[in-house]
Amino acid sequence: MPLRAKMLNPALASFPQMSTEAQRASIPKEEPDDEPDDVLFNTIYGVRTIELNRPKKLNSLNGSMARKIIPRLKEWEKSQLASVIIMAGAGEKAFCAGGDVAALAQYNQQGPSGIERSKAYFGLEYQLDHLIATYPKPYIAYMDGITMGGGVGLSVHAPIRIATERTLFAMPETTIGFFPDVGGSFFLPRLDGHIGAYLALTSERLKGVNAYYAGIATHYIDSSSLGNLTARLSELVFKDYADMAERLAIIDTTIEEFGTGLPYDEPMLLAGSLRSAIDRCFRYNSVEQIMQALQQESGETASWAQKTLKTLSERSPTSMKVALRQMELGRTWDISDTFRRENHIAGKFMEHPDFVSGVSAKLINKPPTTPKWEPSSLEQVSRADVDAFFDVEGTTPLPLLAVASAWGEYPFGYLGLPREEEVRTVVMEGGKSAEAVVATFLTMKGGKPGLREKVEEVLGRKCAVGAGDEVRWLEERMR
């Protein structure tokens, strides 16, 4: 794109320059009407635990909880006695089912002052998410149970994310007239292939081990082992000079002590012909083109395509177009820019009728009703409409609680299963059979559960076998 075009495109505009001090947020304080016990904290030797304690609300995050968590994280950041942070949810149903959007929709119906209150909540939430993403000490998320929306923000940016048989992951925002926030602009485009766009637009759910296979989680253990794991982690003693990578390596090895293998009755969902179809259909930067591609699917993926078309027809047209633009632009944003830009997008959605309509219809009305989207069709949502959500020119960026970090990839992403691009790199070195490629990763990652299955799935889908059993990476084939 020519330089002039970039400058004239509001979606590519930058925030005005600010001093470092002006970019730093103050630590929030609890307010008089905050709930007293919605978050519980505990100390077990070097471990500090954060328990989200609203089980009747599926541990949905609200401002009261964020105002408790942030000061503790900042306090532990400075403490030489706090070595490992663990966040979990109370009860067996949920880690965190999302932000308390029902309350926000009710605020928005109160007029401008209520909308500003909702905007303030999102700013606080994103400050917490950014603090977690850039936290200088090992932070572990127990993604045990429902992990959606705001719960994803509290977990997916952590260096260590543990899924269990009860994990249920989703980004359901387009269902309620919103967008996949909490850093979705960063982590979704960095998933393999076009999985991120698929999850963003459809709100598809990943259960149990499939959150691990997809790269949402870095580890998988049975939920019955979490208590013993916490006790074991509390026994760890790190050398004072050990850096973050060394500490995480020790934790990684410790977690594997509790592995009992992956469930045999839960095959990889996003694999084979379905995975190829996802990449084939969701590779476009236009929702209309994606839907056209889905209409052209035939054979064994035809029924999936028709189901997906029906799903997309029920989503907010504005939300889908904004979410897809996120996937396009977000892969170029660093982690700090992500939360600043998402704060701006969230503010725009608080002023848009789809959020109140979607939340009211899906979460407040009993029984749930059908949202009335405005506009009601993709054709009515113009490029200028979408651009407005990303135009930050002349606005003040969200102050952050941690030093702004400019990394564009997760620093400790290697702790999970190999990404497809990593497999491609090894194959492109040449001279390796499929078994040799698998062996390369087994050596690198020490026999991580599911590693063989993940690498073999990628090889089977993306490679051909040549002379001497050498695997050769195929150019992307589209039909």
Side-chain angles (χ1 to χ4, degrees):
M1 183 183 294
L3 178 61
R4 179 173 173 78
K6 286 186 179 181
M7 292 173 65
L8 294 178
N9 187 342
L12 299 175
S14 298
F15 288 108
Q17 292 294 317
M18 297 176 63
S19 68
T20 302
E21 279 304 311
Q23 294 178 31
R24 296 291 291 275
S26 57
I27 298 174
K29 297 180 180 179
E30 290 189 59
E31 297 181 357
D33 58 348
D34 284 352
E35 298 175 38
D37 298 315
D38 49 8
V39 184
L40 303 178
F41 304 94
N42 196 15
T43 296
I44 313 171
Y45 298 107
V47 165
R48 301 294 182 269
T49 64
I50 304 170
E51 184 178 29
L52 308 176
N53 189 39
R54 299 178 77 204
K56 292 182 179 179
K57 292 279 190 179
L58 300 177
N59 300 319
S60 293
L61 182 69
N62 60 21
S64 170
M65 299 163 82
R67 283 187 288 272
K68 292 180 178 66
I69 296 169
I70 288 171
R72 288 298 182 109
L73 286 175
K74 296 301 288 183
E75 173 190 334
W76 293 336
E77 185 179 314
K78 301 173 184 176
S79 171
Q80 294 183 343
L81 300 177
S83 299
V84 178
I85 314 300
I86 298 174
M87 183 176 284
E92 299 181 354
K93 291 184 177 180
F95 166 68
C96 174
D100 196 349
V101 292
L104 301 181
Q106 291 169 341
Y107 294 159
N108 290 0
Q109 291 175 307
Q110 297 169 7
S113 62
I115 290 173
E116 289 305 312
R117 187 174 180 183
S118 293
K119 290 180 180 180
Y121 165 76
F122 283 112
L124 182 64
E125 181 183 21
Y126 300 158
Q127 287 171 338
L128 172 57
D129 293 340
H130 178 264
L131 180 61
I132 290 170
T134 58
Y135 204 66
K137 293 185 176 183
Y139 174 102
I140 303 171
Y142 288 174
M143 301 169 68
D144 183 32
I146 299 170
T147 304
M148 298 184 184
V152 175
L154 299 175
S155 58
V156 80
H157 307 293
I160 295 181
R161 312 174 298 278
I162 300 177
T164 75
E165 78 283 358
R166 298 189 298 211
T167 298
L168 183 60
F169 165 90
M171 292 296 286
E173 287 79 10
T174 58
T175 308
I176 59 170
F178 198 46
F179 74 110
D181 62 333
V182 297
S185 309
F186 192 90
F187 82 85
L188 287 170
R190 288 164 177 79
L191 295 177
D192 288 346
H194 298 281
I195 289 175
Y198 173 63
L199 296 176
L201 268 63
T202 66
S203 309
E204 180 68 18
R205 298 180 174 191
L206 297 177
K207 298 179 181 179
V209 72
N210 273 292
Y212 173 61
Y213 281 134
I216 304 299
T218 57
H219 297 77
Y220 180 90
I221 66 174
D222 193 271
S223 61
S224 62
S225 298
L226 291 176
N228 290 332
L229 172 60
T230 300
R232 178 73 179 89
L233 291 171
S234 72
E235 298 170 357
L236 297 181
V237 177
F238 303 115
K239 292 185 168 77
D240 290 342
Y241 55 81
D243 62 16
M244 183 72 150
E246 292 174 285
R247 295 175 186 230
L248 289 173
I250 293 170
I251 293 171
D252 180 39
T253 302
T254 302
I255 294 172
E256 299 300 350
E257 294 174 10
F258 293 84
T260 55
L262 303 183
Y264 67 89
D265 58 346
E266 288 188 50
M268 198 182 305
L269 174 64
L270 305 182
S273 59
L274 173 58
R275 175 55 205 290
S276 295
I278 289 172
D279 284 357
R280 190 162 54 239
C281 296
F282 283 82
R283 74 186 194 271
Y284 299 103
N285 290 330
S286 158
V287 179
E288 290 89 345
Q289 285 180 292
I290 288 174
M291 297 184 81
Q292 288 172 8
L294 287 166
Q295 290 167 355
Q296 294 170 8
E297 282 295 303
S298 59
E300 60 183 317
T301 57
S303 61
W304 163 83
Q306 291 305 308
K307 177 185 174 185
T308 304
L309 279 167
K310 183 177 184 300
T311 296
L312 295 180
S313 71
E314 297 169 352
R315 300 293 184 256
S316 159
T318 300
S319 292
M320 286 197 296
K321 286 202 169 185
V322 170
L324 194 60
R325 181 73 67 85
Q326 262 186 282
M327 300 303 103
E328 178 187 358
L329 298 177
R331 64 174 60 97
T332 69
W333 296 344
D334 65 43
I335 191 65
S336 299
D337 206 27
T338 292
F339 288 108
R340 288 170 171 156
R341 288 181 180 272
E342 286 190 359
N343 184 60
H344 177 77
I345 299 170
K348 289 291 186 181
F349 267 108
M350 292 305 96
E351 300 168 356
H352 195 281
D354 277 6
F355 180 75
V356 170
S357 178
V359 173
S360 298
K362 295 294 185 180
L363 302 177
I364 297 177
N365 297 348
K366 302 298 180 186
T369 56
T370 301
K372 295 182 179 179
W373 305 126
E374 299 179 33
S376 60
S377 68
L378 291 170
E379 294 75 17
Q380 293 173 303
V381 183
S382 69
R383 184 176 182 86
D385 292 335
V386 178
D387 283 348
F389 284 88
F390 296 87
D391 184 6
V392 299
E393 189 171 357
T395 64
T396 302
L398 175 71
L400 301 173
L401 289 154
V403 175
S405 299
W407 41 264
E409 296 289 341
Y410 290 111
F412 307 105
Y414 57 83
L415 291 168
L417 289 174
R419 294 171 58 185
E420 188 171 295
E421 187 58 33
E422 294 177 76
V423 178
R424 181 182 184 276
T425 298
V426 172
V427 170
M428 294 299 286
E429 292 172 356
K432 291 184 175 66
S433 65
E435 186 58 35
V437 174
V438 172
T440 298
F441 284 101
L442 288 172
T443 300
M444 290 167 54
K445 294 179 178 284
K448 195 173 183 69
L451 186 149
R452 175 178 288 276
E453 292 86 343
K454 173 69 184 284
V455 175
E456 288 181 345
E457 191 283 324
V458 174
L459 294 175
R461 180 168 42 83
K462 303 293 289 187
C463 295
V465 179
D469 291 333
E470 179 181 350
V471 289
R472 178 170 52 86
W473 195 268
L474 298 174
E475 293 297 325
E476 195 169 9
R477 294 172 294 178
M478 298 297 174
R479 73 180 191 207

